[in-house]
Amino acid sequence: MKVKSYEKIVMIKILIIGILVLELIFFCLLYLHKEFNYKKISGIVVKDNVMVLVLSNEERKLLYKNSNLIMNDKLKRFTILEDNGVFIKKGNKKYYEIIIKVKFDKKYKANDSIDINLKDSKYRTIEMFKLIWKGVK
């Protein structure tokens, strides 16, 4: 008797094994790939390429840990000109005044506010999915 094409299960087994291999590769990529978490900080322009930041202790440590920041979706290098120490005390929290030099657009004048982003920590992509699944608190 002749075997019909729909009775051949070799092709089905190959497809199932191929799909399992692709899923395994997909989950390995999710586990190995890492993305940065960013912290948003506001600053005030003092003059050309100089801005003032008022930061908490954690944000200050983060600023010292980084050498680059993201401003207007562009990666910029900055240098710390002055750290004036404790600027304001509110309850148990201390806020520090730090003056940095970073090249930004000429459209910003004195007393304009600029938002900058600093790299905070790395998360695996699979951990991000877990956070989204549980709900961010």
Side-chain angles (χ1 to χ4, degrees):
M1 188 181 276
K2 206 171 188 185
V3 177
K4 303 284 183 182
S5 63
Y6 63 86
E7 292 176 343
K8 297 178 185 175
I9 61 170
V10 174
M11 188 62 148
I12 293 172
K13 289 180 181 178
I14 291 173
L15 284 174
I16 290 172
I17 292 172
I19 289 172
L20 289 175
V21 168
L22 286 175
E23 286 180 1
L24 184 66
I25 291 171
F26 176 70
F27 283 113
C28 286
L29 288 176
L30 282 179
Y31 185 75
L32 295 176
H33 187 261
K34 295 181 180 180
E35 288 290 328
F36 281 103
N37 186 20
Y38 293 94
K39 177 80 173 173
K40 185 176 179 181
I41 298 173
S42 294
I44 298 172
V45 176
V46 177
K47 57 181 180 178
D48 290 339
N49 300 329
V50 178
M51 65 188 302
V52 173
L53 303 171
V54 178
L55 308 172
S56 66
N57 194 26
E58 296 84 26
E59 292 170 340
R60 181 177 178 227
K61 288 178 185 177
L62 187 65
L63 184 73
Y64 277 107
K65 191 167 66 170
N66 288 303
S67 60
N68 295 324
L69 56 84
I70 297 176
M71 181 188 307
N72 298 332
D73 298 328
K74 294 179 185 170
L75 189 68
K76 309 259 182 163
R77 188 174 262 326
F78 71 92
T79 55
I80 298 174
L81 296 178
E82 270 185 66
D83 186 353
N84 294 330
V86 177
F87 182 63
I88 299 172
K89 283 186 180 179
K90 185 175 182 182
N92 291 336
K93 277 195 135 182
K94 296 178 182 176
Y95 292 95
Y96 299 88
E97 180 185 33
I98 298 176
I99 300 172
I100 64 170
K101 182 175 183 177
V102 62
K103 192 165 190 123
F104 48 80
D105 298 335
K106 296 294 181 188
K107 68 179 182 179
Y108 294 110
K109 304 295 181 202
N111 295 329
D112 283 347
S113 177
I114 299 178
D115 291 329
I116 62 172
N117 295 314
L118 295 171
K119 291 179 184 177
D120 190 8
S121 59
K122 282 186 180 180
Y123 283 113
R124 288 190 169 94
T125 310
I126 194 94
E127 291 173 356
M128 287 183 196
F129 283 125
K130 286 180 187 175
L131 286 173
I132 292 170
W133 186 266
K134 289 179 183 176
V136 180
K137 295 179 182 178

